[in-house]
Amino acid sequence: MFRKLVIPGSIVLASMAMLGSPATAAPPVQLSGAIFTTDASGNPVNLNIYDSKEDVYLNGGPGINAPDDAAGLPVGTYSFQVTDPSGQTLLSTDDVTCRQFTVDDSGVITSVTPSGNCAHQTGAGGNASEDGGISVQLFPYNDTPNNGGVYKVWVSPTNLLDCDAPGNKNCFVPRYSKVDNFKVRNNLIVEIDVRFWKNGTAMDGYAATWTDTNGASNIKYSEWNPAVLAFHEAHFEAVEPGTHGIRVESQPGCTITSVLLPTGKVVKASRGWASVSVTVADHTEGDHTYWVDVTCA
């Protein structure tokens, strides 16, 4: 039995056995865990800016600087794609069946076996990697049409790919997808940085959830890592123009009381969480950081 996945510029006929069947039960509102781009060693790259398309690898797991009890991606088989920031232009050039990997119960990427003979190259794993899992090369994919040099990688459970879902991006449904933005050979910095403050001190290891302009999401953790220009922030790099969401929740050692937005507006936390919007302009020259400052009690 075959299911037709309609993808801009091509039609992919994929076996249900290879891609999985559509979910019959209601899927989770949001996947746990996070994804992030790295180099082949599985470690982060300064500001998510790479020298070549071949240098960009995908990593999974709870996320950079996550606490020990943070959740990773749920166990299962996943598919990925590379697009422009809007998700409208598919840049990955091989069949989606070649872009699959598995996650074990530790929440990290462990294998590209589901992709068979056309599987993507993998990088270092184990102690060489940021999260202990393997990294998966995103190449091959075309150049982005975005004038800021921005690319977006998507990851979704294979059985939740749905070419008929409203708002799907090449069969990837935003609300069931994790995303991360990156750049190639473009050094302009446009980012949303979330900081957590308690009694005037910036704190590391605290989670912020980013929802992009398409409705897909990811989680990053505040960290101190000068080597990648992280100075107590949770970095969301290479963000596209438009309105983004940032959600923060109370965590051990941080009972959230308020959030200061880049506009100067202060939003009070309610019931231990706050959800705010950040509007990113179309920056064509000059670096820009949108600061979101969270106050903890």
Side-chain angles (χ1 to χ4, degrees):
M1 179 179 178
F2 289 84
R3 176 170 181 242
K4 182 184 289 185
L5 301 184
V6 181
I7 295 177
S10 65
I11 296 178
V12 179
L13 294 179
S15 166
M16 292 288 280
M18 295 176 69
L19 281 179
S21 58
T24 56
V29 173
Q30 192 175 83
L31 293 174
S32 63
I35 65 166
F36 46 102
T37 59
T38 69
D39 59 17
S41 73
N43 290 301
V45 170
N46 198 359
L47 299 170
N48 279 14
I49 299 173
Y50 295 83
D51 292 331
S52 73
K53 292 186 294 184
E54 292 85 350
D55 290 342
V56 191
Y57 283 68
L58 176 68
N59 226 304
I64 296 171
N65 209 45
D68 292 338
D69 60 352
L73 292 171
V75 174
T77 299
Y78 292 79
S79 297
F80 65 91
Q81 66 171 351
V82 177
T83 72
D84 73 327
S86 73
Q88 298 291 344
T89 303
L90 177 65
L91 302 177
S92 293
T93 57
D94 54 352
D95 195 288
V96 67
T97 58
C98 300
R99 294 181 264 116
Q100 297 186 84
F101 61 83
T102 56
V103 169
D104 68 6
D105 58 8
S106 68
V108 302
I109 300 173
T110 56
S111 170
V112 291
T113 300
S115 296
N117 293 333
C118 62
H120 282 224
Q121 179 175 320
T122 60
N127 293 333
S129 170
E130 176 75 30
D131 70 348
I134 65 171
S135 55
V136 181
Q137 189 181 43
L138 297 183
F139 195 79
Y141 54 95
N142 291 325
D143 291 346
T144 180
N146 178 263
N147 60 11
V150 179
Y151 298 78
K152 188 182 295 286
V153 57
W154 301 66
V155 168
S156 183
T158 296
N159 69 333
L160 294 183
L161 296 182
D162 186 351
C163 301
D164 298 320
N168 79 83
K169 308 297 183 181
N170 318 300
C171 305
F172 284 68
V173 181
R175 59 179 170 159
Y176 307 143
S177 300
K178 292 290 184 183
V179 292
D180 198 22
N181 287 11
F182 62 94
K183 290 188 172 187
V184 177
R185 297 185 299 274
N186 186 307
N187 294 325
L188 182 66
I189 300 168
V190 181
E191 60 187 354
I192 299 174
D193 282 355
V194 183
R195 298 181 291 194
F196 293 80
W197 299 92
K198 186 173 183 178
N199 298 325
T201 300
M203 303 192 298
D204 298 327
Y206 287 86
T209 299
W210 162 59
T211 301
D212 75 353
T213 58
N214 303 298
S217 66
N218 203 9
I219 299 173
K220 297 290 179 74
Y221 293 81
S222 57
E223 64 170 337
W224 172 261
N225 187 355
V228 295
L229 301 184
F231 304 100
H232 305 299
E233 307 100 355
H235 278 291
F236 299 103
E237 306 286 6
V239 289
E240 66 270 15
T243 300
H244 300 254
I246 297 292
R247 180 184 172 96
V248 290
E249 300 181 3
S250 293
Q251 301 160 61
C254 172
T255 300
I256 294 172
T257 59
S258 64
V259 179
L260 175 63
L261 299 179
T263 59
K265 179 182 178 180
V266 175
V267 176
K268 298 295 183 181
S270 175
R271 300 183 299 279
W273 62 272
S275 185
V276 300
S277 296
V278 177
T279 300
V280 175
D282 187 2
H283 298 279
T284 57
E285 53 185 60
D287 300 341
H288 200 97
T289 298
Y290 291 82
W291 297 103
V292 177
D293 288 298
V294 180
T295 300
C296 305

